Amino acid sequence: DTGVSQNPRHKITKRGQNVTFRCDPISEHNRLYWYRQTLGQGPEFLTYFQNEAQLEKSRLLSDRFSAERPKGSFSTLEIQRTEQGDSAMYLCASSLRIQMDEKLFFGSGTQLSVL
Amino acid sequence: AQKITQTQPGMFVQEKEAVTLDCTYDTSDQSYGLFWYKQPSSGEMIFLIYQGSYDEQNATEGRYSLNFQKARKSANLVISASQLGDSAMYFCAMREAQNRDDKIIFGKGTRLHILP
């Protein structure tokens, strides 16, 4: 068990470009979450999956954001036509959702900078 | 509306003193869970403690305890005998469980500084 892995660690892109991030959860975990965090703020919920099913996408997210979790394993988060306001740390977390005390295990995040 | 409120943006505490980090929450569910996470300057999020809404006793994990006051919708984190390594951001989080929407959401956090 190597924990939750996120790639890349850092991404610098120009405004208008598309970017894709990958998250590999802990293998037996059925839940996978994406959060966005800006400096000094708490993680902001983006979306989450139970196995391969996407349960909810935040209403704060525009249609430029999309996430997938094919086969209920790894997940990708794509941002199309990036804007400077998309600059943030994107955190992935996984968990084993059986009971209420579902502990989230976080990856190290992908730091996105949009120039 | 904010569901998790952490009113202390920053706190300074002398080493070895106890510290209480405030968290209030808003839910109409009867069944929910409350969590605290720590985020050091290195960035990783570390689970600290969990309290279920039906748990009769306050949760404890080593030096961490959760002061759960259900009627006040309050779930304060208490750190006893603070250490320099406790300096970090602390986030309160909640899951509501009686509806289909059972995602975990976080507060804005409190930055704790432990002074030597």
Side-chain angles (χ1 to χ4, degrees), chain B residues 10-21 38 63-64 79-90 111-116:
Chain B
M11 286 188 70
F12 290 82
V13 174
Q14 206 67 41
E15 189 181 8
K16 298 181 185 177
E17 290 184 352
V19 55
T20 298
L21 304 179
K38 173 184 178 181
R63 293 186 300 112
Y64 304 109
I79 306 174
S80 63
S82 58
Q83 302 171 356
L84 295 178
D86 295 333
S87 295
M89 283 288 287
Y90 288 81
R111 182 170 294 281
L112 177 63
H113 303 268
I114 304 298
L115 304 173

Side-chain angles (χ1 to χ4, degrees), chain A residues 35 37 56 100 102 104, chain B residues 37 39 50 95 101-102 104:
Chain A
Y35 294 90
Q37 188 177 26
E56 183 179 339
M100 279 293 290
E102 169 194 348
L104 293 177
Chain B
Y37 283 81
Q39 188 176 42
Y50 168 82
R95 170 193 293 107
D101 176 9
D102 68 342
I104 297 173

Side-chain angles (χ1 to χ4, degrees), chain A residues 4-111:
Chain A
V4 178
S5 176
Q6 289 189 248
N7 287 288
R9 290 294 306 275
H10 304 274
K11 180 69 177 178
I12 301 173
T13 191
K14 292 183 178 179
R15 188 164 47 122
Q17 298 294 305
N18 298 344
V19 293
T20 300
F21 310 141
R22 177 179 171 123
C23 173
D24 287 273
I26 294 172
S27 58
E28 66 268 24
H29 284 182
N30 54 2
R31 283 272 176 105
L32 188 147
Y33 292 76
W34 284 100
Y35 294 90
R36 176 171 63 189
Q37 188 177 26
T38 53
L39 199 61
Q41 298 296 310
E44 176 191 11
F45 170 80
L46 296 180
T47 188
Y48 73 137
F49 294 84
Q50 172 118 351
N51 300 312
E52 66 274 10
Q54 187 172 22
L55 299 183
E56 183 179 339
K57 178 179 172 182
S58 171
R59 286 168 290 179
L60 298 174
L61 281 189
S62 73
D63 291 341
R64 297 184 298 106
F65 287 73
S66 63
E68 294 182 341
R69 192 183 182 198
K71 301 179 183 178
S73 56
F74 71 94
S75 175
T76 58
L77 177 68
E78 181 182 16
I79 309 174
Q80 296 182 328
R81 304 181 302 282
T82 52
E83 301 173 357
Q84 288 184 327
D86 297 331
S87 295
M89 176 71 82
Y90 289 83
L91 295 170
C92 174
S94 72
S95 66
L96 187 60
R97 176 73 170 104
I98 297 177
Q99 297 180 0
M100 279 293 290
D101 61 339
E102 169 194 348
K103 297 175 189 175
L104 293 177
F105 292 81
F106 282 83
S108 299
T110 294
Q111 181 68 52

Side-chain angles (χ1 to χ4, degrees), chain B residues 6-108:
Chain B
Q6 295 181 253
T7 57
Q8 308 149 309
M11 286 188 70
F12 290 82
V13 174
Q14 206 67 41
E15 189 181 8
K16 298 181 185 177
E17 290 184 352
V19 55
T20 298
L21 304 179
D22 295 342
C23 174
T24 58
Y25 57 91
D26 180 25
T27 181
S28 57
D29 285 356
Q30 296 301 310
S31 178
Y32 52 90
L34 298 156
F35 306 78
W36 277 91
Y37 283 81
K38 173 184 178 181
Q39 188 176 42
S41 56
S42 54
E44 75 269 31
M45 292 282 283
I46 304 166
F47 167 81
L48 294 179
I49 197 167
Y50 168 82
Q51 178 83 44
S53 60
Y54 289 119
D55 294 342
E56 294 185 353
Q57 292 192 339
N58 287 343
T60 60
E61 291 282 351
R63 293 186 300 112
Y64 304 109
S65 60
L66 201 151
N67 184 2
F68 181 47
Q69 298 187 36
K70 196 170 182 177
R72 293 186 176 185
K73 293 187 178 177
S74 167
N76 298 341
L77 177 69
V78 180
I79 306 174
S80 63
S82 58
Q83 302 171 356
L84 295 178
D86 295 333
S87 295
M89 283 288 287
Y90 288 81
F91 297 102
C92 181
M94 177 176 69
R95 170 193 293 107
E96 299 169 294
Q98 284 191 336
N99 55 26
R100 185 174 172 272
D101 176 9
D102 68 342
K103 63 184 180 290
I104 297 173
I105 58 171
F106 287 79
K108 292 182 182 293

